[in-house]
Amino acid sequence: MSADAVPVPLTGWARTAPTAARVIRPRTYEEAAAAVRGCGVRGGIARGLGRAYGDAAQNAGGTVLDMTGLDRIHAIDATGGTVLCDAGVSLHRLIEVLLPLGWFVPVTPGTRQVTVGGAIGADVHGRNHPASGSFSRHVLSLELLTADGEIRTVSPGTPLFDATAGGLGLTGVILTATVQLLPVETSLMSVDTERATDLDDLMARLTATDRRHRYSAAWIDLLARGAATGRAVLTRGDHAPLDALPARARRAPLAFRTPQFPAAPAFVPDGLLGRPAVGLFNELRYRRAPRARSGRLQRISAFFHPLDGMPHGNRVYGRGGFVRYQFVVGDGQEDALRRIVRRVSERRCPPSLAVLKRFGEAAPGWLSFPVPGWTLALALPAGLPGLGAFLDRLDEEVATAGGRVCLAEDSRLRPELLASMYPRLDDFRALRSELDPRGVFTSDLSRRLNLQATGNL
């Protein structure tokens, strides 16, 4: 087990709000338990590959457990489609190993460079939420190292499971998980693409295909205004069956290939993703998209994780990093979504990323993000003047509509809005108080949002 005596600066993937912590990288469960016992007064938090956008895996002045040293795949049931693995195994590694066997991960976010433990702790969602829910719905059991040094086997349907799924590492350190997989015949996707002329057109198209396709998401041009406000390119896909492949591709139907592009430069001038550049990109992207095209075959890596092909892609936002902002409002709150889209468009924010998706049934996790409705994710340069105040107003709009902000991606939510967004917050705090009365597991996010038990605030 390696431990750096000198604190190491850490940020989330968005590269904002750096803080320093002692980093320990356990390679055995015993080393992980020893690290938890030795966290000190500032506590500790587990960290995977650092793809949380905000401060969920940072711990200023305390300890961070780098779990990527625990990365073994213990057992694969190629008949029943389950895998037992360490929490430090990445989704990339799982896909690499399982896809040739005819299995795929049940849920994947926009990057495969996340660990299984991180996927559970954030209860990540993907383009298939209406059909498949979030990641924790496919976890059959997990092993959790709690603050008392005990390793507990945790099953779905129990309070500890519901607090851990989406609990951002604050109930303990996930050591292993058994995950149910998705059977596939090929490593290709059959993809439909079409343009939507405005937000109402887009919402109608997404609603009509909630269950018709396994995966769907839309890129929105949030610089478009007037009659074109909310214009978008909608992409929907399904795993291609073997008989849909051309003869050459059938020779290796489950081959997993990942394209690589040059890494983003270490220094990118601030302002590169300003309004003129993003506006030009948006115009080209919308115009080049087909009005309607169906059945195009695409590699799994290109369909799900196009940005993974550029190492250090988060550098393109410049030294100041970016703010990732994702919210959900429920079905019946479409007017709130319209108002927020209009506000972003009228303010002329230059989001380099704007993706709208549908959510299905809510996850059981007490702090899990998805609820049935509409979720919009934005990436905005952190240096935009007045950005904090503008997003504060959006938070209030979301909360008034009964929606919530995604905590795993958050870096600036005000704590007073949290209880209205997450009604099981008091249950989460109470369980933490019982399970971890000394506050061993803590993070910059938990301190910022007062996620400790009420008596420990």
Side-chain angles (χ1 to χ4, degrees):
M1 175 173 60
S2 61
D4 295 331
V6 178
V8 176
L10 297 171
T11 71
W13 187 244
R15 303 176 72 204
T16 58
T19 59
R22 183 175 65 120
V23 177
I24 297 176
R25 191 169 187 260
R27 295 184 179 275
T28 67
Y29 306 150
E30 292 76 16
E31 289 183 354
V36 168
R37 288 193 297 270
C39 278
V41 295
R42 291 289 287 181
I45 194 73
R47 182 182 176 98
L49 289 166
R51 290 304 181 103
Y53 288 93
D55 53 2
Q58 298 170 221
N59 184 22
T63 300
V64 168
L65 279 69
D66 176 352
M67 297 301 293
T68 58
L70 288 167
D71 60 353
R72 292 162 294 181
I73 297 176
H74 295 282
I76 299 171
D77 180 352
T79 303
T82 62
V83 61
L84 168 61
C85 63
D86 284 343
V89 174
S90 69
L91 296 192
H92 172 84
R93 179 61 179 156
L94 284 185
I95 296 170
E96 188 177 54
V97 170
L98 297 169
L99 193 55
L101 302 177
W103 297 97
F104 190 62
V105 291
V107 172
T108 176
T111 175
R112 60 185 179 274
Q113 301 300 334
V114 297
T115 62
V116 169
I120 298 169
D123 201 12
V124 297
H125 57 271
R127 301 184 185 190
N128 60 337
H129 195 273
S132 302
S134 50
F135 194 89
S136 67
R137 287 198 175 274
H138 307 273
V139 176
L140 304 179
S141 68
L142 60 86
E143 289 184 305
L144 185 71
L145 173 64
T146 51
D148 55 8
E150 182 180 345
I151 297 177
R152 307 180 185 217
T153 299
V154 185
S155 300
T158 62
L160 185 52
F161 187 94
D162 291 346
T164 300
L168 304 167
L170 296 172
T171 61
V173 178
I174 300 171
L175 297 177
T176 71
T178 301
V179 181
Q180 182 68 56
L181 305 168
L182 177 72
V184 295
E185 295 183 17
T186 75
S187 61
L188 296 176
M189 304 295 296
S190 176
V191 182
D192 297 351
T193 305
E194 60 190 75
R195 288 192 294 195
T197 57
D198 58 28
L199 182 60
D200 285 340
D201 182 30
L202 173 60
M203 289 194 292
R205 292 171 187 264
L206 274 169
T207 302
T209 58
D210 255 2
R211 303 287 180 175
R212 194 179 307 166
H213 296 269
R214 180 174 288 275
Y215 305 97
S216 61
W219 164 83
I220 304 183
D221 179 3
L222 287 182
L223 288 179
R225 292 188 291 178
T229 299
R231 70 177 183 177
V233 177
L234 173 59
T235 305
R236 296 171 293 195
D238 295 283
H239 294 279
L242 185 61
D243 58 14
L245 271 57
R248 176 179 294 182
R250 293 185 196 181
R251 298 172 189 168
L254 292 166
F256 179 49
R257 300 183 180 90
T258 57
Q260 286 290 312
F261 305 104
F267 174 75
V268 177
D270 291 331
L272 180 65
L273 292 179
R275 191 184 305 154
V278 174
L280 177 60
F281 172 81
N282 287 3
E283 186 68 28
L284 291 173
R285 182 169 183 175
Y286 183 77
R287 296 297 176 188
R288 291 183 63 184
R291 293 184 182 274
R293 180 179 63 196
S294 61
R296 182 190 180 195
L297 294 177
Q298 194 173 22
R299 290 178 182 173
I300 272 180
S301 56
F303 180 79
F304 288 107
H305 314 118
L307 298 181
D308 280 353
M310 179 189 293
H312 309 296
N314 57 343
R315 292 175 180 169
V316 301
Y317 294 87
R319 289 170 297 181
F322 65 100
V323 173
R324 171 80 167 191
Y325 184 71
Q326 183 169 11
F327 68 90
V328 58
V329 293
D331 289 324
Q333 294 294 332
E334 286 76 12
D335 282 346
L337 176 63
R338 292 185 184 98
R339 286 193 297 270
I340 292 172
V341 167
R342 192 160 52 245
R343 284 188 181 187
V344 175
S345 176
E346 290 173 351
R347 196 178 186 277
R348 309 297 285 156
C349 293
S352 59
L353 171 79
V355 176
L356 183 70
K357 293 183 290 193
R358 292 282 291 152
F359 277 164
E361 184 180 353
W366 293 344
L367 296 186
S368 292
F369 171 59
V371 295
W374 306 89
T375 180
L376 178 63
L378 311 175
L380 297 160
L384 287 175
L387 179 61
F390 177 69
L391 293 180
D392 284 347
R393 292 192 292 273
L394 295 191
D395 290 341
E396 293 167 1
E397 181 93 39
V398 169
T400 300
R404 57 183 57 167
V405 168
C406 182
L407 299 183
E409 302 186 357
D410 176 60
S411 59
R412 26 82 35 215
L413 180 67
R414 297 186 317 241
E416 59 266 26
L417 292 177
L418 193 63
S420 64
M421 292 183 174
Y422 289 89
R424 300 299 300 271
L425 177 61
D426 284 346
D427 294 328
F428 181 81
R429 285 172 168 166
L431 185 142
R432 281 203 68 202
S433 179
E434 178 182 350
L435 191 68
D436 183 9
R438 296 183 294 114
V440 171
F441 297 112
T442 189
S443 65
D444 290 354
L445 180 142
S446 73
R447 281 187 288 266
R448 175 170 58 83
L449 293 180
N450 294 335
L451 288 173
Q452 297 91 339
T454 304
N456 295 338
L457 297 183

